[in-house]
Amino acid sequence: MTAESPEPNVVSWNAGRIRLLDQSRLPAEEAYLEIDDCRVLAKAIREMRIRGAPALGVAAAYGLALAASRSSAVDPAGLLAQMEETAEMLRSTRPTAVNLAWALERVLGAARESAGATAMAEVALSEARRIHQEEIEAGRAIGRLGAELVPAGATVLTHCNTGALATAGYGTAVGVIRTAHEQGKRIRVLVDETRPLLQGARLTAWELQRLGIPFTVIVDGAAGEMMRRGRVDCVVVGADRIAANGDVANKVGTYSLAVLAKENRLPFYVAAPTSTIDLSTATGDEIPIEERPADEVTAFAGTRTTPDGAAAANPAFDVTPARYVGAVITERGIARPPYDESLARLLGTGARAVKTGASKW
Ligand code: MRU
């Protein structure tokens, strides 16, 4: 961000409490929540006051540190049992974003290896801080690697919000956009408004404005027409979970964009940290898709937009089959098809450069 607009403080540990920027109130208001109870944190996550897969992981990790620091248990076994219970509650809040479960497991793993109850609380907080720092660094690396795929003067279409707000760091797809902009590539961004909760219109637009990156907001349904008119050069999105075969779960509407991109012979890229890759999930069919309350669809800003009694379905995510994905940009390198090989290699070896070769379209 510019000197006048520092990085938003999305989530932090603040004197034994968790401080959260309430994203549900942006862009109208920059309000913060001070949380000292994990049930309140779980509610805030469900209500999307914090959201975005990597940011959810960071918040959940601090949540376990909070549980450990507030516990009355005197012995390590009792404390661990309480932490596991808290982890179960937090894990169930947003089932699609694998970063949440991944971060909880990392903190629990660190706690299990520590000696006493006091040490466990300290270890949990250190591990949460480490996860947070790693996500910040991953975003910068994703930005550097991904910017190489963005031509100078390009218009990049993106969906949902994948910037600092979604990552508690630098950003994934927005990270790629930020770095390309910082490199002086004179890019423009088309921002899908992202129905029904408007993460694109409210949050990505807010971030891009603070960063001084030129952008235009469009309704989700306008993406195809923009592509047909030749107004888009590439699509870059984030991910909530990437299966071992390269299928990608991301904000609902992503699949339609991928199909449209293929039809219009445009590159479609996914930017995500390796914490979003879930090799234990074989394909996208196995990814749990969060179903959110119907009133997010039937009402807007508290006003009903459908007739009384209208049924509504509200899947919060969709699955884009791997065959539409030109590249997966991670902090460790850029994976290309076939993903079952390139993603495994990326996670297994930690090598920076994975499979190279031109995208199919
Ligand atoms: O429902 P949300 O707002 O949590 O969904 C967020 C997304 O779909 C993002 O694209 C994804 O989490 C990647 S964030 C870097």
Side-chain angles (χ1 to χ4, degrees), residues 270-359:
V270 173
T274 46
S275 53
T276 304
I277 300 170
D278 178 12
L279 295 184
S280 71
T281 298
T283 74
D285 291 340
E286 292 174 21
I287 299 176
I289 299 294
E290 178 187 355
E291 190 72 28
R292 293 203 45 93
D295 62 8
E296 290 178 354
V297 176
T298 57
F300 186 76
T303 304
R304 195 165 242 290
T305 53
T306 56
D308 268 352
N314 190 12
F317 301 95
D318 61 24
V319 172
T320 299
R323 64 180 180 279
Y324 292 102
V325 179
V328 175
I329 305 157
T330 79
E331 77 279 15
R332 294 194 195 169
I334 297 178
R336 299 278 192 176
Y339 291 110
D340 50 355
E341 289 172 18
S342 60
L343 294 178
R345 198 170 320 143
L346 199 73
L347 263 68
T349 63
R352 289 196 66 81
V354 193
K355 197 168 174 77
T356 53
S359 163

Side-chain angles (χ1 to χ4, degrees), residues 23 48 50-56 94 97 99 159-163 165-167 171-174 194 197 199 203 237-241 249-252 254 271-273 276 290 292 316-317:
Q23 298 188 31
M48 313 242 318
I50 181 159
R51 29 65 54 203
L56 289 171
R94 303 278 327 261
N99 305 60
H159 192 61
C160 198
N161 171 260
T162 60
L165 293 169
T167 56
T172 57
V174 165
T194 316
L197 297 179
Q199 290 94 326
L203 308 178
V237 297
D240 280 75
R241 191 186 296 228
N250 191 47
K251 179 54 55 191
V252 69
T254 302
T276 304
E290 178 187 355
R292 293 203 45 93
F317 301 95

Side-chain angles (χ1 to χ4, degrees), residues 38-40 42 46 84-93:
C38 286
R39 285 164 302 191
V40 179
R46 255 187 240 104
E84 279 166 351
E85 210 174 290
T86 303
E88 192 50 47
M89 173 183 67
L90 292 171
R91 198 179 289 119
S92 66
T93 53

Side-chain angles (χ1 to χ4, degrees), residues 166-304:
T167 56
Y170 184 77
T172 57
V174 165
V176 171
I177 288 165
R178 279 175 82 161
T179 306
H181 171 77
E182 284 160 14
Q183 291 173 346
K185 284 191 164 175
R186 298 187 163 280
I187 58 162
R188 291 194 61 83
V189 186
L190 278 183
V191 179
D192 266 2
E193 67 172 354
T194 316
R195 278 282 292 150
L197 297 179
L198 305 187
Q199 290 94 326
R202 292 188 304 108
L203 308 178
T204 302
W206 183 78
E207 289 188 336
L208 295 179
Q209 199 164 60
R210 284 161 59 104
L211 291 163
I213 302 175
F215 68 92
T216 304
V217 179
I218 56 172
V219 298
D220 300 350
E225 176 60 11
M226 289 300 186
M227 291 184 195
R228 192 191 64 78
R229 288 188 201 170
R231 303 274 183 89
V232 180
D233 296 295
C234 63
V235 180
V236 188
V237 297
D240 280 75
R241 191 186 296 228
I242 302 174
N245 72 340
D247 290 352
V248 174
N250 191 47
K251 179 54 55 191
V252 69
T254 302
Y255 174 35
S256 319
L257 283 181
V259 175
L260 284 166
K262 183 176 184 186
E263 170 68 17
N264 288 277
R265 300 186 170 278
L266 294 170
F268 179 89
Y269 302 130
V270 173
T274 46
S275 53
T276 304
I277 300 170
D278 178 12
L279 295 184
S280 71
T281 298
T283 74
D285 291 340
E286 292 174 21
I287 299 176
I289 299 294
E290 178 187 355
E291 190 72 28
R292 293 203 45 93
D295 62 8
E296 290 178 354
V297 176
T298 57
F300 186 76
T303 304
R304 195 165 242 290

